Amino acid sequence: WLVSNAVAGSAPEAVLVGLGAIPGAWLRLKVVNHFEPMVPKKHWGTFLVNVAASFALGLVLALEESCSASRGVALLMGVGFFGSLSTFSTFAVELLNELRAGHVLAAAVLALISILAGLLAAAAGYGLGGYG
C-alpha cells in the first residue's frame, strides 16, 4: 500500500523515494560483491541483502503504524532505501540461471529458503516495531 500511495503521491514524495533508493542500490552492490568470494554462489549474497531488507522494511512499516512515524521517513527508508537494497529481479535471474544450468533442486531450495526467510524476517521486523 505504501508503494502504490507513493506512486500516486506528490513530487516531494517521489523525491524522497529516489533519495533513499540511490544509497540502497549502492549498498546492495557493495554487500553482494563483498560476499561473493565468501559464498559458494553469488545468489547467497543477494539472499542476505533481501532477508535483511525484508526485516528492516517490516520494522519501518510497523514503526510508521505504531509510533506515528512520519510518512516521509517510511517513503525514504522503507520504499526508497530498503526497497532498492532488496532486489526481486536479481533473485529471479539467479533462479533462472540455476534452472538453465540444470540445477533444479538448487533453484527450488533457493526459492523456498528466500521466500520463507524473507517472510520470517519481515514478520520479525514488523513484530519488533509494533511492540517497541
Side-chain angles (χ1 to χ4, degrees):
W1 62 266
L2 190 57
V3 174
S4 63
N5 287 343
V7 171
S10 66
E13 290 175 332
V15 169
L16 283 173
V17 171
L19 288 174
I22 293 167
W26 177 84
L27 182 60
R28 173 178 20 104
L29 174 69
K30 291 298 187 183
V31 169
V32 170
N33 287 343
H34 175 76
F35 281 106
E36 185 175 7
M38 297 177 221
V39 293
K41 295 243 183 173
K42 188 173 184 172
H43 59 240
W44 292 114
T46 302
F47 170 82
L48 291 173
V49 295
N50 284 346
V51 172
S54 294
F55 173 83
L57 182 57
L59 180 63
V60 166
L61 293 178
L63 289 173
E64 182 191 27
E65 289 177 10
S66 68
C67 301
S68 300
S70 83
R71 177 175 162 79
V73 170
L75 290 170
L76 177 73
M77 296 303 297
V79 178
F81 185 79
F82 295 119
S84 70
L85 178 64
S86 65
T87 173
F88 181 78
S89 58
T90 300
F91 167 67
V93 168
E94 289 170 349
L95 282 176
L96 178 63
N97 287 340
E98 287 295 313
L99 291 170
R100 291 181 65 216
H103 305 142
V104 176
L105 182 59
V109 168
L110 177 61
L112 183 63
I113 289 174
S114 293
I115 292 167
L116 288 176
L119 285 171
L120 289 173
Y126 194 84
L128 181 65
Y131 299 106

